[in-house]
Structures are given as C-alpha cells and as structure tokens.
Amino acid sequence: MTRTYAIRTFGCQMNEHDSERLAGLLEAEGLIAATDPNAADVVVLNTCCIRENADNKLYGTLGHLKSLKAARPGMQIAVGGCLAQKDQAIIQERAPHVDVVFGTHNVGEAGRLLQRAALEGPVMEILEESDAFPSALPVRRDVSHAAWVTIQIGCDNSCAFCIVPAVRGREISRPFDEVVDEVASLAAAGVTEVTLLGQNVNSYGRDLTRRRPLFAELLRHVGAVDGIRRVRFTSPHPKDLRPETITAMAATPTACEHLHYPLQSGSDRVLAAMHRGYTGARYLEKLAGARAGVGDLAVTTDIIVGFPGETDADFDATLEVAAAAEYDSAYTFVYSPRTGTEAAAWTDRYVPADDVTRRFDLLKVVVERSALAKHEARVGRVEDVLVEGPSKKDPSMTSGRTRQNKLVHFAGQVATGSYADVLVTGAAPHFLRGELVEVTAGPRHRTRIPVSAS
Ligand code: 5AD
Ligand code: SF4
C-alpha cells in the first residue's frame, strides 16, 4: 500500500518553502499526501525558533503524536527545521518516539533518513553547513499561480536578538542563472507571481565569486521573464537597501509596489545595541527615497517591543518613527530571548512585562491608525487583484491581493489564479472590501504543477 505523509509547518515563509521541498522529496519517493493528517504514515514537523514559544508547541504536538504512534507502530515521525538544528539531541532525549531529527542544511536527506530509521531505529543527522542549495530539490507547491523562490539562504548579520545566523548559517546566494531559470520554468507551468526569498535580499550576490550581480539586476531579470506578472521580494535590510534596487523596482513593471522594510526599533540607542547599522533618521531618509522612486508604494515592517534596556524614551522614539513612516501594516513582536543570542544574556536589562504590554498596545494604535488611513485612501480606486480563492470566512465571497499586497474581499466567484479589476468600496485596518468590475485574465496554471526538480 502507498504510504502517506503529513507535514506541519511552524514559522516563516522560508520554512513554508522548505516544507514544499519536503513534500516534493517525499512524493518523489512514492509517498502521497494524507487526506487526514492524523492517519499519516509519516509525519514531519518543520520547526521554527525565531520568536515563538516553539519548544512548547513542538513538545505539545509530539505528545499528541506519541499516542497515535503507540496505536500504529509503523508510523514515523521526523522533526526538522530551525529548532531541530538548535536543539538536536534534546529532542531525541525528550521525545524518544521521534524517528528522525534533521537540520536546516539537510532537508534533502529527510527521505533517506526516514528509510534508514525504518531499518535501524531512530537517527539524528544535523549538518553544520552545506553548499548544496536546497532550491535544487524537488518541490510540491500547494498553490499553482504563485510561488516562492529562494535566492539566498543564511545570514551574515548579527542582530543581537536574532537566532537566524546560528540556525541557518552563513549567507549563501543562489547562482543568478539558476534563479532566473527556476522562475522561467515556474512561468512555463503557469505561475504568474513570484516572491524572491532571502534573509537579507539586498546583499544578494555579495558572496558570488564568478560574477557579482546586484539584487537590482536579479529583480530586473526575474521581472522580465515571459508570463510573470508580479514579482515580490522579502526582506531587504534597511542598512543595505540601495538606490539601484529602488530604480529597478520603478523600471520593472512587474515589480509590485510594496516594500517590507523592517524597522525593529526607532531608538538610535536600541538600534545600536541591536547592531542594526542604521539610525531612525537614516531609515526614514531611505524610505523617503523609496517613496520618491516608486509611486504608490505600500510599506510594511517588523518592530520588536521590549528589547533589553528599552526605556520609555526609546519606545517613544519607535512610536515617532513608526508614525512618520506611515506604514500600511506592521508585524509587531514582543521581544523574546533566544538562548545563544547576544541580547538573551542581558537579563539585568529585561523590560518588565507590564511595560511591554502597555507599549505593545500603544504601538498597535499608531500602526493601525496609519494602516486604516492608507486603506481609506484607496476607496474609489480600481485595483488589479490576483485571486487567491473563496474567502475563508464566507465562501460566497472571493479574496485576492492587490499589487500593494492588500487583502481584498469581494462578492462573487472568480477562479483562483485569475486577475480581476476590483473597485475598492470599503476599508479596514487589515483588509479592503470591493466590487468586481471585470476579470481581466483567467488562471494560466494547469490544475496542479507536477513534481519537478527545478
Ligand atoms: N524576539 C522578538 N522578535 C524577533 N524577531 C526576530 N527575533 C526576535 C526575537 N528574539 C522578529 C524581527 C524579525 C522578524 C522576522 O522576527 O522583527 O524581523
Ligand atoms: Fe536576523 Fe538580523 Fe539576519 Fe534578519 S538581518 S535574519 S534579523 S540577524
């Protein structure tokens, strides 16, 4: 009988994309996706440790799986991703029913390790580093009109709060032609929107030796691929955002008018302690340049509240920069110490929970105010919308995204992957409401992209 698999992903887009690769690998080995995840023969947990309470979530899920496995001894459990990279042996110690533990650098080995575990019992394999770029692995994508494309893995920065460099390793750029070729083959399969992924996309190419292309060049080439209608990227680091990138965005009609531009803090003192490499003023100066260069630019951000040593005055500076930046939306995070990072050791400077909550709520007010204003300003406009499918809350409605990456809900049914003109009729802080004007393009995709090694 054909074995089935289920993958549970925690964390960011990079992890979701790694999960697509895991699915592709398992399918290449003959497994099929389980319709009921609880009945899967192979369960893979792809973990994250950036800021969530990942340990609790993981061990909670593993506890649940333990009883399933007791009832079905043939079942296999694999744990991969950032937390596995970091905690390695601890996972096997705390959860001996786990068959395979693999790290962020050996996603490609997951299938082989599962086979080995079936014969030999539990295995753990964590590579410190790998030169094999994971994008060369097969991929099974759930969505066939939009795709993530990894252009870089790892990170060479050392932000004091961040565990990524420790678990994802040094920065490696994927060869230029390989990226463009992947986008071309995705487009040939019907994908019309790609999102270029990297921890710090603006330093793309810095480590390439044969030729050192800039990110701007990559953006132009990817944007010119036949069949591609939208290109997005995430995330640029403010210290490395170059005028060339802005010029390339403006000159590339397929490049969407959206910049995810992580602030983290508006206080120069805190930014220095974080090793971010910019000040609040410099951040805003570059932002003004981006807005001047790219018309109708939507700007989103990441902000951390309660970094060790953050005072009320520091936080006020964050509020000021956030207000001046007039964000379309912001991911706001409560600082969470990650063992092994520099700031985690500054226990004497941890901010009391009450202060953090109060600041967090204030920041939310400031961000939602500008988000709502930005959204209200769009009422009355006709937007180009890429249809994502029936609305999750009300299936009689359709949901999609504008070029500015705003979620829009409108009445009626339009096929997933189509493009439609939608008149914006209402605004809320996190979405827009609209009315369908007309469908401008049907979905180009086939119903499902076959598993391929590109
Ligand atoms: N605590 C809180 N937020 C964090 N982030 C990264 N590390 C931490 C941490 N230790 C946030 C940053 C980053 C986003 C991906 O996650 O804002 O931009
Ligand atoms: Fe983490 Fe900073 Fe690298 Fe982003 S740039 S992944 S926050 S170390």
Side-chain angles (χ1 to χ4, degrees):
M1 242 185 46
T2 313
R3 280 164 61 82
T4 60
Y5 72 88
I7 301 175
R8 182 143 176 223
T9 312
F10 305 88
C12 65
Q13 287 166 330
M14 197 66 90
N15 256 18
E16 297 214 13
H17 190 29
D18 281 350
S19 289
E20 290 182 336
R21 291 201 188 96
L22 283 164
L25 280 159
L26 296 176
E27 295 202 358
E29 298 197 6
L31 280 81
I32 56 169
T35 39
D36 172 9
N38 283 328
D41 299 309
V42 173
V43 176
V44 186
L45 305 177
N46 190 7
T47 63
C48 168
C49 61
I50 292 190
R51 53 177 182 261
E52 305 168 57
N53 210 343
D55 318 36
N56 291 348
K57 271 197 195 165
L58 173 67
Y59 294 112
T61 310
L62 285 175
H64 168 69
L65 291 174
K66 189 175 180 177
S67 46
L68 289 179
K69 188 168 175 167
R72 278 189 303 122
M75 178 183 169
Q76 287 189 298
I77 302 170
V79 180
C82 299
L83 191 66
Q85 182 79 28
K86 189 166 79 74
D87 283 358
Q88 314 187 2
I90 303 174
I91 295 175
Q92 280 200 323
E93 213 176 281
R94 283 186 60 176
H97 56 293
V98 168
D99 298 275
V100 172
V101 179
F102 62 96
T104 50
H105 299 290
N106 48 349
V107 171
E109 305 293 307
R112 183 181 62 77
L113 295 173
L114 280 159
Q115 280 175 6
R116 221 178 90 195
L119 301 171
E120 299 171 16
V123 287
M124 183 183 79
E125 206 173 279
I126 308 281
L127 298 179
E128 280 317 312
E129 226 149 66
S130 157
D131 279 336
F133 214 90
S135 283
L137 300 173
V139 172
R140 186 234 187 264
R141 299 173 198 267
D142 279 337
V143 174
S144 32
H145 56 274
W148 290 306
V149 175
T150 310
I151 65 166
Q152 172 196 59
I153 52 169
C155 180
D156 280 350
N157 292 312
S158 50
C159 301
F161 53 81
C162 186
I163 192 76
V164 167
V167 292
R168 294 268 171 181
R170 74 194 153 92
E171 208 168 281
I172 305 175
S173 298
R174 192 174 171 201
F176 191 95
D177 294 342
E178 218 180 285
V179 175
V180 178
D181 287 351
E182 183 180 3
V183 173
S185 67
L186 287 166
V191 166
T192 60
E193 179 183 278
V194 288
T195 304
L196 306 179
L197 282 184
Q199 302 296 347
N200 184 7
V201 294
N202 282 109
S203 60
Y204 171 79
R206 205 159 53 181
D207 58 309
L208 293 177
T209 43
R210 225 158 26 99
R211 192 165 76 93
R212 303 180 85 191
L214 291 176
F215 176 67
E217 210 183 313
L218 185 70
L219 190 60
R220 287 176 192 260
H221 275 73
V222 165
V225 168
D226 197 29
I228 293 299
R229 295 178 60 134
R230 289 182 172 188
V231 181
R232 304 186 181 281
F233 58 89
T234 195
S235 297
H237 191 305
K239 82 175 160 54
D240 297 318
L241 181 63
R242 308 165 71 122
E244 292 94 321
T245 301
I246 302 303
T247 312
M249 281 177 84
T252 307
T254 51
C256 287
E257 295 79 10
H258 172 215
L259 189 67
H260 186 68
Y261 188 52
L263 171 66
Q264 313 300 2
S265 168
S267 152
D268 293 347
R269 215 178 57 82
V270 173
L271 285 168
M274 286 176 166
H275 311 308
R276 290 291 291 175
Y278 53 85
T279 60
R282 184 80 185 112
Y283 174 95
L284 288 173
E285 209 175 281
K286 285 196 180 191
L287 179 56
R291 288 198 195 276
V294 181
D296 199 15
L297 184 71
V299 180
T300 58
T301 199
D302 294 340
I303 300 173
I304 298 176
V305 178
F307 182 77
E310 183 189 76
T311 62
D312 278 335
D314 290 321
F315 179 70
D316 286 346
T318 298
L319 287 182
E320 270 171 39
V321 176
E326 298 183 347
Y327 294 117
D328 289 78
S329 111
Y331 295 98
T332 48
F333 306 109
V334 168
Y335 169 72
S336 151
R338 306 284 88 191
T339 310
T341 60
E342 192 182 345
W346 302 341
T347 46
D348 55 328
R349 278 166 272 171
Y350 280 11
V351 180
D354 286 356
D355 290 341
V356 175
T357 311
R358 181 175 42 81
R359 291 176 194 168
F360 191 85
D361 292 344
L362 275 172
L363 179 61
K364 199 166 162 222
V365 171
V366 168
V367 170
E368 290 199 344
R369 192 188 301 149
S370 65
L372 185 61
K374 292 274 171 190
H375 289 187
E376 279 171 343
R378 307 200 81 84
V379 173
R381 294 198 204 193
V382 172
E383 303 261 0
D384 176 49
V385 171
L386 170 55
V387 174
E388 290 187 346
S391 152
K392 291 198 179 88
K393 278 200 190 133
D394 174 359
S396 72
M397 306 278 289
T398 294
S399 300
R401 298 250 167 204
T402 67
R403 288 178 60 92
Q404 278 80 12
N405 208 30
K406 297 186 181 302
L407 193 57
V408 191
H409 306 293
F410 57 94
Q413 247 104 50
V414 179
T416 301
S418 308
Y419 284 81
D421 279 348
V422 173
L423 171 69
V424 180
T425 54
H430 301 285
F431 62 89
L432 302 171
R433 277 179 294 272
E435 278 168 21
L436 178 65
V437 178
E438 62 173 335
V439 176
T440 52
R444 289 185 56 238
H445 62 261
R446 302 185 205 110
T447 44
R448 165 99 188 271
I449 301 178
V451 171
S452 72
S454 59

